[in-house]
């Protein structure tokens, strides 16, 4: 019998012990642990080495390379699935070649200590026995430690825990020092100031632990070290503490995307806003598919789709694209042209085939195709009827709206029951009967696209430019009214010599100028619900804090009068001098589409009024909950859901401790707000409990191109300094700078007033940026994807608002 076993044959735990057998498996699986040999336990008798050992050992050690060596135990029960024997045997490090036999004898003798006898008696049973001994090439470690491929504390599988120390890891394993902790799971938890590992090194260790688990078929506890040559695995053993059961396999795909909804709900969105938006989307899109001819029974059968159109990932709101696609698949015509229907979703990248393949009916064939065409025809006829009755539908909607918002209920003194009842009235009269905005928006989409394609086909590039002017150059579109009013107040402030005083003193500077105060009050009376991120209930509207409005007036006063672009009135006779039929068709379709665009913007303003009124109702409920001791602060109402708020009043609530719920969610959102935004597109397999994301989730690297093209929507050319603004409440724009932003909304009007041009990542020809830019006479380019990453703050840009061309002149 040979006393020394080489690495390549050290696979039998009965001969070489559990630890050596694990190292053999690691080497065979390609993990490349430091080279080793094994001295069998039989090489010693009562601690005395067999006479043959010295010769065999010298020959075997020649293949390990020069000293020093690590001399470790490898008991037959060590590193087993039930009992690890961790720390029970002796280990010797940095052993010289001449001292290996003496070190091995000491490790052999450690199998008979009182400690090991007690451990075996209590844990594994059986008498004490000597271990085999591993002699392994020593790693000159810069850092070392342990890693668990499953969390032994929480029992969660798939969550890697790492503990790291500088230098050798023996003091960590012995419990003499605490290691630097890292956790890799749904999120990465890292030290505030890492001192031992970099993020890349920690990620590599986590991957090593996971690969060891895959190789051994069970969660592993590994030891590792990093030297000048990189990362090494030193040993791997099963985790012996009880873990939670392995979850069942589930490859169901959920796709979240915020490429469109981020314009309405940017950043962290409160639970109240999210739940309110979920409710609105549910009610509105049920009505939408009903409008397009989907039977009520079909809508009821797919109720779960409409109740889950949105998702919340790390505090941010996303579309659940799978459910949007499922809703689309219910519409007549889907089986005829699936590809065209997919384009209606307006996504920046297509949906994965793994998601779409299992959704919706197959392409219609034969008689089924005829039936589908009949369904589409019926929908078309219904839309013609809706178009004919749209003025009456719109008038009735406005009547319900004004009745609901003009209620004589005094929100300042109303009790919780009355306030909840008022919300239910809004829900029943408006959210459940959202007919006019739905019909108009759908007709607007059809009319806008059809008229644009027609003018492009008949007039070429001139037709597209004309279309832009006609659609967004309307004087009676309500989105342009705030800019005109602010310009008028700016002229009054400038004429009164109050520009500097308004900037420094705020509204008190207007004392003694009743005509300006009257204009300001009239503005707030009509537009007081507008603000930055106005669809978020937690946002503070102008009526409550007019500072952004006063800043816009001051900026307009300092800027001086600006001329809006001329209104988009077409000379149809000059455009079609020889074709009166085309002239009449083009004028009729374009003017009809223009009216739908105007109504779309005006109805969206009414949406702002509804959200503003809902905000006031919920704030009043927050006041009452706080007064009754249910919440710590009135505004804590925003960290409850609509169901929790109404349940507390109407009797179907689950938990009476609303304050604790609000505290928990506020703390969660505070942590989320400090993390970078998750990516635009997220794919999750299995339960769609949205994970949190870290700085490792990054998009495409910034482009080094000098020129990019967006959508030009307000003509003019400007060369000036770029200023990237992410939060107009905390950042300002110097007069004459070019505003660069991811998205904008009506709360950005103060920033717009100082801008010489506007460049926005998101948006379209009908976006708020385009409409206000035209009214202010500012060149504007929208839809320039990645603009805030591509453009450097402070560099010089050239912007052409007609063609959509943006050039980095300092690059």
């Amino acid at each position: 019998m040979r006393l020394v076993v080489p690495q390549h044959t050290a696979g039998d735990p009965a001969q070489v012990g559990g630890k050596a057998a694990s190292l053999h498996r690691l080497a065979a699986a390609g993990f490349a642990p430091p080279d080793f040999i094994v001295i069998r336990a039989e090489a010693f008798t009562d601690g005395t080495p067999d006479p043959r050992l010295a010769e065999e050992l010298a020959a075997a050690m020649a293949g390990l390379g020069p000293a020093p060596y690590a001399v470790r135990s490898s008991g037959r029960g060590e590193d087993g699935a039930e009992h690890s024997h961790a720390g029970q045997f002796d280990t010797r490090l940095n052993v010289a070649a001449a001292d290996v036999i003496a070190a091995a004898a000491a490790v052999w003798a450690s199998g008979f200590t009182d400690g090991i006898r007690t451990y075996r008696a209590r844990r594994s049973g059986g008498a004490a026995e000597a271990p085999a001994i591993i002699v392994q090439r020593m790693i000159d470690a810069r850092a070392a430690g342990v890693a668990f491929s499953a969390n032994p504390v929480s029992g969660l599988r798939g969550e890697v825990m790492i503990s790291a120390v500088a230098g050798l890891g023996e003091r960590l394993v012995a419990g003499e020092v605490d290691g630097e902790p890292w956790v890799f799971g749904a999120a990465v938890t890292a030290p505030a100031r890492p001192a031992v590992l970099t993020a890349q090194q920690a990620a590599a260790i986590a991957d090593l632990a996971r690969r060891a688990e895959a190789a051994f078929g069970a969660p592993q506890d590994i030891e590792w070290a990093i030297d000048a040559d990189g990362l090494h695995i030193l040993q791997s053993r099963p985790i012996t503490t009880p873990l939670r059961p392995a979850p069942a396999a589930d490859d169901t795909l959920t796709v979240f995307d915020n490429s469109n909804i981020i314009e309405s709900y940017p950043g962290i969105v409160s639970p109240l806003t999210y739940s309110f938006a979920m409710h609105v989307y549910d009610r509105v899109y049920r009505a939408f598919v009903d409008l397009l001819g989907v039977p009520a029974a079909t809508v009821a059968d797919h109720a779960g789709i409409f109740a889950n159109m949105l998702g919340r990932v790390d505090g941010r709101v996303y579309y659940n694209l799978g459910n949007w696609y499922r809703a689309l698949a219910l519409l007549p015509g889907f089986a005829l042209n699936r590809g065209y229907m997919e384009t209606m979703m307006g996504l920046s990248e297509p949906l994965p085939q793994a998601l779409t393949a299992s959704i919706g009916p197959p392409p219609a064939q034969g008689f089924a195709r005829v039936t589908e065409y009949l369904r589409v025809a019926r929908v078309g006829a219904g839309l013609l009827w809706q178009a004919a009755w749209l003025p009456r539908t719109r008038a009735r909607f406005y009547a319900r709206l004004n009745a609901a918002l003009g209620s004589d209920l005094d929100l300042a003194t109303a009790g919780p029951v009355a306030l909840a009842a008022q919300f239910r009235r809004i829900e029943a009269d408006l959210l459940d009967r959202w007919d006019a905005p739905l019909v108009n928006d759908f007709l607007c989409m059809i009319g806008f696209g059809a008229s644009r394609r027609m003018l492009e086909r008949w007039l070429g590039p001139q037709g597209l430019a004309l279309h832009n002017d006609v659609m967004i150059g309307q004087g009676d579109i309500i989105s342009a009214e705030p800019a005109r009013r602010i310009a008028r107040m700016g002229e009054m402030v400038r004429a009164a010599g109050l520009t500097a005083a308004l900037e420094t003193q705020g509204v008190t500077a207007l004392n003694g100028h009743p005509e300006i105060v009257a204009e300001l009050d009239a503005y707030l009376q009509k537009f007081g619900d507008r603000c930055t991120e106005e669809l978020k209930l937690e946002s503070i509207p102008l009526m409550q804090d007019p500072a952004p409005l006063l800043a816009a007036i001051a900026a307009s006063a300092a800027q001086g009068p600006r001329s809006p672009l001329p209104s988009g009135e077409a000379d149809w006779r000059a455009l079609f001098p020889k074709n009166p039929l085309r002239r009449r068709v083009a004028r009729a379709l374009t003017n009809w589409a223009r009216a739908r665009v105007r109504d779309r913007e005006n109805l969206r303003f009414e949406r702002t009024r509804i959200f503003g009124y809902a905000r006031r109702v919920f704030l009043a409920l927050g006041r009452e909950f706080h007064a009754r001791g249910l919440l710590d602060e009135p505004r804590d109402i925003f960290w409850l859901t609509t169901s929790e708020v109404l349940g507390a009043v109407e009797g179907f609530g689950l938990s009476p401790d609303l304050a604790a719920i609000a505290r928990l969610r506020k703390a969660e959102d505070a942590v989320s707000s400090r993390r970078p935004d998750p990516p635009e597109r997220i794919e999750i397999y299995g339960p769609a409990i949205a994970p949190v994301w870290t700085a490792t989730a990054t998009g495409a690297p910034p482009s080094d191109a000098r020129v990019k093209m967006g959508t030009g929507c307000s003509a003019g050319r400007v060369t000036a300094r770029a200023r990237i603004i992410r939060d107009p409440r905390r950042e300002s724009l110097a007069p004459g700078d070019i505003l660069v932003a991811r998205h904008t909304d009506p709360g950005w009007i103060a920033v717009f007033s100082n801008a010489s041009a506007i460049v926005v990542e998101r948006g379209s020809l009908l976006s708020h940026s385009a409409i206000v830019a035209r009214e202010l006479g500012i060149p504007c380019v929208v839809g320039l994807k990645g603009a805030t990453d591509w453009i450097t703050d402070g560099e010089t840009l050239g912007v052409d608002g007609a063609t959509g061309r943006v050039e980095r002149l300092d690059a």
Side-chain angles (χ1 to χ4, degrees), residues 169-178:
E170 291 307 307
R171 290 186 303 147
L172 174 67
V173 174
E176 298 174 6
V177 296
D178 293 327

Side-chain angles (χ1 to χ4, degrees), residues 149-195:
S149 67
N151 190 324
V153 178
S154 67
L156 284 174
R157 297 171 184 261
E159 188 171 83
V160 179
M161 292 186 65
I162 299 170
S163 188
V165 294
L168 296 174
E170 291 307 307
R171 290 186 303 147
L172 174 67
V173 174
E176 298 174 6
V177 296
D178 293 327
E180 179 178 272
W182 295 73
V183 179
F184 284 77
V188 176
T189 303
R193 294 181 177 83

Side-chain angles (χ1 to χ4, degrees), residues 38-59:
V38 183
I39 302 174
R40 296 181 62 166
E42 292 83 355
F44 293 90
T45 302
D46 295 330
T48 302
D50 188 294
R52 297 172 295 160
L53 178 59
E55 182 179 351
E56 283 192 35
L57 187 61

Side-chain angles (χ1 to χ4, degrees), residues 497-763:
L498 298 173
T499 304
L502 186 61
E503 290 177 342
T504 57
Q505 299 174 28
V507 72
T508 57
L510 303 181
N511 292 341
H513 298 273
E515 70 286 357
I516 304 178
V517 172
E519 283 284 343
L520 180 65
D521 289 343
Y523 184 101
L524 291 174
Q525 188 65 32
K526 185 168 186 178
F527 298 107
D529 287 320
R530 306 227 88 161
C531 57
T532 302
E533 302 176 1
E534 64 186 14
L535 295 185
K536 293 164 67 171
L537 299 176
E538 62 271 22
S539 296
I540 298 176
L542 292 175
M543 185 66 77
Q544 188 174 345
D545 178 16
L549 173 60
L550 297 175
I553 296 169
S556 179
Q559 187 76 248
R562 303 173 95 161
S563 300
L565 295 180
S567 62
E569 297 298 335
D571 185 348
W572 296 106
R573 187 171 296 277
L575 291 168
F576 298 99
K578 298 180 180 180
N579 197 324
L581 177 60
R582 283 191 174 185
R583 182 193 316 151
R584 284 193 292 271
V585 172
R587 179 170 54 201
L589 179 57
T590 303
N591 287 341
W592 183 80
R594 179 184 186 182
R596 301 289 72 73
V597 169
R598 178 199 63 220
D599 292 343
R600 170 182 177 268
E601 289 303 303
N602 294 349
L603 286 165
R604 288 193 172 189
F605 171 67
E606 303 304 334
R607 179 187 64 181
T608 299
R609 291 179 62 202
I610 294 169
F611 274 62
Y613 190 76
R615 176 186 294 118
R616 293 195 293 277
V617 169
F618 281 118
L619 279 170
L621 282 163
R623 177 198 69 221
E624 294 300 309
F625 282 17
H626 172 60
R628 287 164 169 78
L630 299 175
L631 291 176
D632 296 335
E633 299 291 339
R635 287 185 63 85
D636 285 355
I637 196 84
F638 294 119
W639 277 272
L640 304 177
T641 66
T642 54
S643 179
E644 288 165 343
V645 172
L646 296 172
V649 177
E650 297 174 346
F652 61 88
L654 291 176
S655 173
D657 196 352
L658 300 180
I661 295 173
R663 285 186 219 112
L664 172 64
R665 291 180 182 153
K666 284 175 72 174
E668 289 175 342
D669 283 355
V671 173
S672 295
S673 68
R674 293 192 290 270
R675 283 192 284 260
D677 288 343
E680 183 177 286
R681 173 71 65 88
I682 298 170
E683 297 182 3
I684 301 174
Y685 289 89
I689 299 175
V692 293
W693 296 85
T694 67
T696 57
T698 57
S703 168
D704 59 358
R706 284 180 53 87
V707 176
K708 282 192 174 186
M709 301 296 294
T711 300
C713 50
S714 182
R717 295 181 180 177
V718 166
T719 299
R721 185 183 69 166
R723 179 81 169 93
I724 298 174
I725 301 290
R726 291 184 169 85
D727 187 348
R729 296 164 297 190
R730 298 178 178 86
E731 300 169 288
S732 60
L733 193 74
D737 283 353
I738 294 173
L739 168 64
V740 181
R742 287 188 72 189
H743 50 81
T744 68
D745 60 34
W748 290 63
I749 188 66
V751 182
F752 279 24
S753 298
N754 275 336
S756 60
I758 299 170
V759 177
V760 187
E761 287 187 6
R762 315 275 181 159

Side-chain angles (χ1 to χ4, degrees), residues 285-307 309 322-336 338 341 344-345 359-361 372 375-376 378-379:
Y285 282 95
R286 282 172 180 261
F288 177 69
V289 298
D290 175 70
L291 170 70
L292 294 183
V294 179
T298 301
V299 175
D301 289 342
H302 295 84
I305 292 175
F306 301 100
M309 305 290 276
N323 282 341
W324 281 87
Y325 193 79
R326 291 179 181 93
L328 198 66
L330 300 177
L331 299 181
F334 184 86
L336 295 174
R338 178 186 289 244
M341 298 290 256
M344 291 175 62
M345 297 180 70
I359 296 176
E372 198 67 15
R375 292 181 67 206
V376 173
R378 186 169 60 185
V379 170

Side-chain angles (χ1 to χ4, degrees), residues 405-553:
L405 301 190
S407 167
D408 58 2
L409 179 68
D410 185 358
L411 300 183
T413 59
V417 173
L419 291 167
Q422 184 66 4
F423 176 81
R424 293 299 193 189
R425 181 183 178 192
I426 296 172
E427 183 180 61
D429 290 351
L430 298 176
L431 300 184
D432 289 349
R433 301 172 67 186
W434 198 254
D435 48 2
L438 276 176
V439 173
N440 189 83
D441 275 9
F442 195 69
L443 294 176
C444 177
M445 180 184 70
I446 295 172
F448 183 87
S451 59
R452 187 169 181 81
R453 288 190 298 271
M454 178 190 65
L455 291 180
E456 181 181 21
R457 186 183 308 115
W458 288 352
L459 298 175
Q462 181 187 11
L464 291 179
L466 171 66
H467 194 265
N468 292 357
D469 291 342
V470 169
M471 293 299 158
I472 61 178
Q474 305 186 51
D476 57 349
I477 199 165
I478 200 165
S479 297
E481 186 178 339
R484 289 197 298 271
R485 289 193 179 213
I486 287 170
R488 184 165 64 247
M489 286 186 281
E491 292 173 9
M492 297 171 71
V493 167
R494 185 171 57 255
L498 298 173
T499 304
L502 186 61
E503 290 177 342
T504 57
Q505 299 174 28
V507 72
T508 57
L510 303 181
N511 292 341
H513 298 273
E515 70 286 357
I516 304 178
V517 172
E519 283 284 343
L520 180 65
D521 289 343
Y523 184 101
L524 291 174
Q525 188 65 32
K526 185 168 186 178
F527 298 107
D529 287 320
R530 306 227 88 161
C531 57
T532 302
E533 302 176 1
E534 64 186 14
L535 295 185
K536 293 164 67 171
L537 299 176
E538 62 271 22
S539 296
I540 298 176
L542 292 175
M543 185 66 77
Q544 188 174 345
D545 178 16
L549 173 60
L550 297 175
I553 296 169

Side-chain angles (χ1 to χ4, degrees), residues 171-472:
R171 290 186 303 147
L172 174 67
V173 174
E176 298 174 6
V177 296
D178 293 327
E180 179 178 272
W182 295 73
V183 179
F184 284 77
V188 176
T189 303
R193 294 181 177 83
V196 179
L197 299 177
T198 66
Q200 292 78 12
Q201 288 172 331
I205 295 166
D207 178 67
L208 183 65
R210 290 184 175 120
R211 288 192 291 116
E213 176 179 312
F216 284 94
Q220 295 292 297
D221 164 7
I222 70 169
E223 293 184 19
W224 54 269
I226 297 174
D227 67 3
D229 295 326
L231 175 63
H232 306 271
I233 189 168
L234 304 182
Q235 67 180 50
S236 182
R237 55 177 170 247
I239 295 175
T240 57
T241 55
L243 299 174
R244 303 187 191 205
D250 188 343
D251 60 356
T252 304
L253 174 62
T254 299
V255 180
F256 290 118
D257 189 292
N258 74 346
S259 56
N260 292 326
I261 199 171
I262 194 172
E263 292 184 61
S264 300
Y265 298 103
I268 300 295
V269 175
S270 73
L272 186 67
T273 293
Y274 173 65
S275 58
F276 182 64
M278 287 272 289
H279 182 73
V280 170
Y281 274 80
D282 180 15
R283 300 299 182 96
V284 167
Y285 282 95
R286 282 172 180 261
F288 177 69
V289 298
D290 175 70
L291 170 70
L292 294 183
V294 179
T298 301
V299 175
D301 289 342
H302 295 84
I305 292 175
F306 301 100
N308 294 283
M309 305 290 276
L310 305 179
R312 191 169 182 262
V313 180
D314 207 19
R316 286 80 168 179
V317 174
Y318 282 71
Y319 284 138
N320 184 334
L321 292 188
N323 282 341
W324 281 87
Y325 193 79
R326 291 179 181 93
L328 198 66
L330 300 177
L331 299 181
F334 184 86
L336 295 174
N337 195 338
R338 178 186 289 244
Y340 174 74
M341 298 290 256
E342 289 178 10
T343 63
M344 291 175 62
M345 297 180 70
L347 300 176
S348 57
E349 58 180 295
L351 283 169
Q353 180 69 18
L355 178 67
T356 60
S358 60
I359 296 176
Q365 303 291 334
F367 183 73
R369 192 171 182 84
V370 175
T371 302
E372 198 67 15
Y373 273 118
L374 290 175
R375 292 181 67 206
V376 173
R378 186 169 60 185
V379 170
L383 286 174
L384 289 174
W385 175 264
Q386 293 285 357
W389 285 97
L390 181 58
R392 189 184 71 167
T393 304
R394 188 170 58 246
R396 289 179 173 177
F397 176 80
Y398 274 111
R400 294 196 306 272
L401 177 92
N402 291 327
L405 301 190
S407 167
D408 58 2
L409 179 68
D410 185 358
L411 300 183
T413 59
V417 173
L419 291 167
Q422 184 66 4
F423 176 81
R424 293 299 193 189
R425 181 183 178 192
I426 296 172
E427 183 180 61
D429 290 351
L430 298 176
L431 300 184
D432 289 349
R433 301 172 67 186
W434 198 254
D435 48 2
L438 276 176
V439 173
N440 189 83
D441 275 9
F442 195 69
L443 294 176
C444 177
M445 180 184 70
I446 295 172
F448 183 87
S451 59
R452 187 169 181 81
R453 288 190 298 271
M454 178 190 65
L455 291 180
E456 181 181 21
R457 186 183 308 115
W458 288 352
L459 298 175
Q462 181 187 11
L464 291 179
L466 171 66
H467 194 265
N468 292 357
D469 291 342
V470 169
M471 293 299 158
I472 61 178

